[in-house]
Amino acid sequence: MSLTATETTPTPGNDDSYNAGYFDGELDAISKLPAVEATARASMAEPHDALWAQGYGDGYLHQIQVTYALAQNQQAPR
């Protein structure tokens, strides 16, 4: 399994597993977990909980994008 950037918005309701994975992915990105390890974690989880694995990948990628955008804004000349 590879992580791919997709536009998804977590929705409330029956997808608690997705939201938990999303949150876990964001935390791992903030803690600077290497992408190779994040991909391995999602791959190992997919057979057991595919929604968590998808949420994890989405959350990880989202937080990487946010962190990159913040870094770019801080480097921009004022």
Side-chain angles (χ1 to χ4, degrees), residues 38-58:
T39 302
R41 186 171 289 177
S43 294
M44 287 186 289
E46 189 167 17
H48 306 286
D49 190 348
L51 272 177
W52 184 92
Q54 182 62 48
Y56 180 84
D58 291 347

Side-chain angles (χ1 to χ4, degrees), residues 7-71:
E7 185 66 32
T8 59
T9 303
T11 57
N14 295 331
D15 58 351
D16 290 336
S17 183
Y18 177 88
N19 290 334
Y22 195 92
F23 183 71
D24 290 341
E26 287 180 318
L27 290 178
D28 281 348
I30 290 169
S31 67
K32 299 181 180 179
L33 182 75
V36 170
E37 291 181 36
T39 302
R41 186 171 289 177
S43 294
M44 287 186 289
E46 189 167 17
H48 306 286
D49 190 348
L51 272 177
W52 184 92
Q54 182 62 48
Y56 180 84
D58 291 347
Y60 184 86
L61 290 173
H62 175 259
Q63 190 59 47
I64 293 293
Q65 292 170 340
V66 167
T67 302
Y68 179 78
L70 290 172

